[in-house]
Amino acid sequence: MQDEKQFEQLMLQYTQLKNGSEDISRMIDIEDFDSAITMLKNREQTFLSCKCIQKYLELTPVQEKELNALLDEIRDIEIKNMKKLEEGMEKIKIELRKTQKSQKIQKTYEIASDITGSILNIKE
Protein backbone atom coordinates (compact mmCIF):
# COMPACT_ATOMS: atom_id res chain seq x y z
CA MET A 1 0.00 0.00 0.00
CA GLN A 2 2.77 2.42 0.96
CA ASP A 3 4.78 1.47 -2.12
CA GLU A 4 1.74 2.07 -4.34
CA LYS A 5 1.31 5.60 -2.98
CA GLN A 6 5.01 6.32 -3.43
CA PHE A 7 4.85 4.99 -6.98
CA GLU A 8 1.88 7.25 -7.74
CA GLN A 9 3.79 10.19 -6.28
CA LEU A 10 6.83 9.28 -8.38
CA MET A 11 4.75 9.04 -11.55
CA LEU A 12 3.10 12.37 -10.76
CA GLN A 13 6.47 14.06 -10.36
CA TYR A 14 7.82 12.53 -13.57
CA THR A 15 4.66 13.61 -15.38
CA GLN A 16 5.26 17.15 -14.12
CA LEU A 17 8.82 16.94 -15.42
CA LYS A 18 7.54 15.75 -18.81
CA ASN A 19 5.06 18.63 -18.96
CA GLY A 20 7.88 20.98 -18.01
CA SER A 21 10.01 19.61 -20.85
CA GLU A 22 7.17 20.29 -23.27
CA ASP A 23 6.80 23.83 -21.89
CA ILE A 24 10.54 24.39 -22.31
CA SER A 25 10.25 23.18 -25.91
CA ARG A 26 7.56 25.78 -26.58
CA MET A 27 9.69 28.47 -24.92
CA ILE A 28 12.63 27.56 -27.14
CA ASP A 29 10.36 27.80 -30.19
CA ILE A 30 9.35 31.36 -29.28
CA GLU A 31 12.91 32.18 -28.16
CA ASP A 32 11.96 32.83 -24.54
CA PHE A 33 15.31 31.57 -23.28
CA ASP A 34 15.23 33.33 -19.91
CA SER A 35 12.05 31.54 -18.88
CA ALA A 36 13.37 28.23 -20.20
CA ILE A 37 16.56 28.58 -18.15
CA THR A 38 14.55 29.47 -15.05
CA MET A 39 12.37 26.39 -15.53
CA LEU A 40 15.42 24.19 -16.01
CA LYS A 41 16.93 25.41 -12.76
CA ASN A 42 13.68 24.87 -10.86
CA ARG A 43 13.34 21.29 -12.14
CA GLU A 44 16.62 20.13 -10.64
CA GLN A 45 15.15 19.58 -7.18
CA THR A 46 12.27 17.55 -8.59
CA PHE A 47 14.71 15.30 -10.47
CA LEU A 48 16.68 14.71 -7.27
CA SER A 49 13.49 13.89 -5.38
CA CYS A 50 12.47 11.40 -8.06
CA LYS A 51 15.88 9.74 -7.97
CA CYS A 52 15.63 9.29 -4.19
CA ILE A 53 12.12 7.84 -4.33
CA GLN A 54 13.07 5.55 -7.19
CA LYS A 55 16.20 4.34 -5.42
CA TYR A 56 14.34 3.01 -2.38
CA LEU A 57 11.12 1.94 -4.07
CA GLU A 58 10.67 -1.68 -5.05
CA LEU A 59 8.77 -1.67 -8.32
CA THR A 60 6.71 -4.44 -9.79
CA PRO A 61 7.50 -5.36 -13.41
CA VAL A 62 4.35 -3.54 -14.57
CA GLN A 63 5.27 -0.42 -12.61
CA GLU A 64 8.81 -0.53 -13.91
CA LYS A 65 7.57 -0.80 -17.50
CA GLU A 66 5.22 2.16 -16.99
CA LEU A 67 7.96 4.22 -15.37
CA ASN A 68 10.47 3.41 -18.11
CA ALA A 69 7.97 4.43 -20.79
CA LEU A 70 7.50 7.81 -19.13
CA LEU A 71 11.25 8.25 -18.70
CA ASP A 72 11.76 7.47 -22.39
CA GLU A 73 9.23 10.16 -23.30
CA ILE A 74 11.05 12.69 -21.12
CA ARG A 75 14.39 11.67 -22.62
CA ASP A 76 13.06 12.08 -26.17
CA ILE A 77 11.67 15.54 -25.46
CA GLU A 78 14.93 16.62 -23.81
CA ILE A 79 16.98 15.36 -26.78
CA LYS A 80 14.73 17.30 -29.16
CA ASN A 81 15.15 20.41 -27.00
CA MET A 82 18.94 20.07 -27.13
CA LYS A 83 18.85 19.65 -30.91
CA LYS A 84 16.70 22.78 -31.25
CA LEU A 85 19.19 24.73 -29.17
CA GLU A 86 22.16 23.41 -31.14
CA GLU A 87 20.50 24.34 -34.44
CA GLY A 88 19.75 27.81 -33.06
CA MET A 89 23.36 28.23 -31.99
CA GLU A 90 24.58 27.28 -35.47
CA LYS A 91 22.26 29.84 -37.07
CA ILE A 92 23.53 32.51 -34.69
CA LYS A 93 27.17 31.61 -35.44
CA ILE A 94 26.52 31.96 -39.18
CA GLU A 95 24.84 35.33 -38.70
CA LEU A 96 27.67 36.49 -36.43
CA ARG A 97 30.29 35.55 -39.03
CA LYS A 98 28.35 37.48 -41.71
CA THR A 99 28.12 40.51 -39.46
CA GLN A 100 31.83 40.35 -38.61
CA LYS A 101 32.77 40.16 -42.31
CA SER A 102 30.48 43.07 -43.10
CA GLN A 103 32.01 45.16 -40.31
CA LYS A 104 35.51 44.31 -41.49
CA ILE A 105 34.66 45.42 -45.01
CA GLN A 106 33.07 48.66 -43.80
CA LYS A 107 36.01 49.42 -41.51
CA THR A 108 38.55 48.75 -44.25
CA TYR A 109 36.77 50.92 -46.77
CA GLU A 110 36.33 53.75 -44.28
CA ILE A 111 40.08 53.74 -43.80
CA ALA A 112 40.60 53.30 -47.53
CA SER A 113 38.67 56.46 -48.27
CA ASP A 114 41.32 58.44 -46.37
CA ILE A 115 44.30 56.68 -47.93
CA THR A 116 44.70 54.71 -51.12
CA GLY A 117 46.05 51.20 -51.65
CA SER A 118 44.23 49.23 -48.88
CA ILE A 119 44.07 45.48 -49.28
CA LEU A 120 41.32 43.45 -47.66
CA ASN A 121 41.60 39.71 -46.95
CA ILE A 122 37.95 38.64 -47.02
CA LYS A 123 38.73 35.07 -45.93
CA GLU A 124 39.67 36.19 -42.40
Side-chain angles (χ1 to χ4, degrees), residues 46-106:
T46 307
F47 268 117
L48 292 174
S49 172
C50 289
K51 288 278 187 188
C52 287
I53 293 171
Q54 193 173 350
K55 186 176 182 179
Y56 295 106
L57 190 62
E58 293 183 26
L59 300 174
T60 66
V62 173
Q63 290 173 333
E64 193 168 339
K65 186 176 179 179
E66 188 178 341
L67 179 63
N68 287 336
L70 184 56
L71 290 174
D72 288 342
E73 286 182 51
I74 294 170
R75 209 171 287 117
D76 289 342
I77 295 168
E78 292 296 329
I79 289 170
K80 287 176 185 175
N81 287 346
M82 286 188 282
K83 285 182 181 178
K84 283 183 193 179
L85 289 172
E86 288 170 357
E87 289 168 1
M89 286 173 46
E90 281 303 313
K91 288 177 185 175
I92 290 171
K93 284 180 185 178
I94 290 168
E95 289 298 318
L96 182 60
R97 283 188 206 115
K98 286 179 185 177
T99 302
Q100 288 171 336
K101 284 181 183 179
S102 175
Q103 286 178 339
K104 183 176 181 180
I105 290 169
Q106 288 175 354

Side-chain angles (χ1 to χ4, degrees), residues 14-24 26 39 77:
Y14 274 128
T15 301
Q16 289 172 345
L17 290 170
K18 178 185 160 221
N19 293 340
S21 294
E22 291 168 345
D23 290 343
I24 290 169
R26 284 189 286 279
M39 261 190 99
I77 295 168

